[in-house]
Amino acid sequence: MVKVSIIMPNKNNARWLPKSIGSVLSQTYENWELIVVDDHSTDDSVKIIRELMDRDSRIDCICDPKVPFPLTRNLGFEHSSGKYIVFLDSDDWLGKEFLERGVENIRDGYASSFAVWFGGDKYRKFVFERGVFSSLDALKLKFRFRNGNTLLKRSIIEEHMIRFPKERRSEDAYFYSLYLAFSKKISVDDYVGFIVNRVGSSVSLSGISGLLETFKVYEKLFKVLEENEKKELVNVIRNNDFVFSVLIYLDSAPRKYKVQYGIKYFPNIVRFLLTSDFYMKDWALATFVDLFVPVKWLLRGW
């Protein structure tokens, strides 16, 4: 039974840590290690982590690291020893069969279906077709391949020296796009193995500042791809994941920037909406319309 390393960055998420770590403890697959990297939390996070460490020796903590988020994920990876890797945020959680199904079905990577939790009994599920797909399908956003719902191979990360960048916005897009660039086949599951928490989430999109940093991260990504003779993937990412990221940050930007950048990227977004197989196209359409007419909550309905 191979070991899986779960890397969990944390900062002041004491409210959700018991549920997040509890979802790891509840896994049907038992050969795992959980490395929590706590970034100088000022709440009860460290107390909770240490209490759980006393109960289960598979849990470890790197407390008060000398590097900031998102580099804490790299630090956790460097301290891990598993053949397979999961990056899980400390306010999200896993379905109990996630690791077992991932280890059983992984190719170059594994992606489960997922759900977004809005509180109470309000969820929105995204269930993908089960099967083996190309990494290009993932880059075209036919299914989600990001933190939490993916199982990765350590060998691919190490061989190609893939690490999270220092930027705090779109850092996951950078890391997972590079991972997919050096992968071929991804196993996709219809099992909902990951829950994204949207209640009091610690994630801050920061609107226009997040968008400007996103531009920087993608240019860095494109440069690395070109240096590794993966230039053909630049346009794929520019026409899909990049547009998705632009919409994410414009969604929380002030109205004047929505209009300004909505006009600038109008052709890119329209092409994306008309040609992509994006698994959240209804969200993308509502967000696009809202750049010019503030009706997203009416259109989304969730």
Side-chain angles (χ1 to χ4, degrees), residues 77-111:
F77 173 75
E78 288 159 7
H79 279 75
S80 69
S81 59
K83 180 178 180 180
Y84 301 135
I85 305 294
V86 178
F87 291 101
L88 177 65
D89 290 342
S90 58
D91 54 356
D92 300 329
W93 52 91
L94 301 175
K96 65 180 181 179
E97 297 178 18
F98 175 81
L99 294 183
E100 181 178 359
R101 296 174 73 108
V103 171
E104 180 181 345
N105 293 291
I106 192 170
R107 294 295 188 92
D108 290 330
Y110 165 85

Side-chain angles (χ1 to χ4, degrees), residues 3 62 137 184 200:
K3 179 187 284 188
I62 303 173
D137 288 328
K184 292 182 180 179

Side-chain angles (χ1 to χ4, degrees), residues 106-302:
I106 192 170
R107 294 295 188 92
D108 290 330
Y110 165 85
S112 76
S113 296
F114 75 104
V116 181
W117 181 60
F118 299 97
D121 59 356
K122 189 174 181 182
Y123 289 84
R124 186 181 184 191
K125 293 183 178 180
F126 295 88
V127 179
F128 305 123
E129 178 184 354
R130 187 175 183 180
V132 177
F133 295 83
S134 71
S135 58
L136 191 62
D137 288 328
L139 289 171
K140 291 181 177 179
L141 306 181
K142 291 184 178 181
F143 52 89
R144 185 183 191 274
F145 196 85
R146 283 290 195 273
N147 293 326
N149 81 313
T150 55
L151 189 68
L152 311 175
K153 283 188 172 181
R154 177 182 214 91
S155 58
I156 293 177
I157 297 172
E158 289 187 334
E159 179 182 354
H160 301 287
M161 300 180 65
I162 304 169
R163 297 293 187 273
F164 288 92
K166 64 180 181 180
E167 289 80 11
R168 297 175 60 88
R169 310 293 177 233
S170 297
E171 82 290 342
D172 54 343
Y174 177 93
F175 181 92
Y176 286 90
S177 293
L178 280 183
Y179 186 92
L180 289 167
F182 295 107
S183 305
K184 292 182 180 179
K185 297 294 182 181
I186 305 297
S187 174
V188 180
D189 202 343
D190 55 6
Y191 170 68
V192 178
F194 172 60
I195 310 299
V196 180
N197 176 11
R198 283 292 175 261
V199 178
S201 173
S202 63
V203 175
S204 176
L205 297 180
S206 303
I208 192 61
S209 64
L211 180 63
L212 296 176
E213 192 168 50
T214 283
F215 295 156
K216 181 179 178 180
V217 169
Y218 275 95
E219 287 307 312
K220 180 184 293 188
L221 169 63
F222 296 153
K223 181 179 179 181
V224 173
L225 289 172
E226 290 175 355
E227 290 173 350
N228 284 273
E229 300 181 350
K230 300 283 184 179
K231 190 173 182 179
E232 74 280 2
L233 297 180
V234 171
N235 283 338
V236 174
I237 295 170
R238 194 185 297 278
N239 292 334
N240 291 277
D241 200 79
F242 173 73
V243 177
F244 176 33
S245 292
V246 168
L247 287 172
I248 286 175
Y249 290 104
L250 286 181
D251 191 31
S252 59
R255 174 60 49 189
K256 66 176 183 178
Y257 292 116
K258 288 179 186 285
V259 175
Q260 176 185 339
Y261 285 96
I263 292 172
K264 180 176 181 179
Y265 288 102
F266 189 93
N268 309 69
I269 299 172
V270 170
R271 181 172 61 245
F272 174 67
L273 291 170
L274 292 176
T275 64
S276 80
D277 293 319
F278 183 37
Y279 62 87
M280 282 174 46
K281 190 173 284 189
D282 59 338
W283 172 90
L285 178 59
T287 303
F288 174 58
V289 173
D290 186 75
L291 298 181
F292 306 99
V293 184
V295 292
K296 64 182 178 184
W297 303 114
L298 177 64
L299 293 176
R300 285 178 185 170
W302 57 279

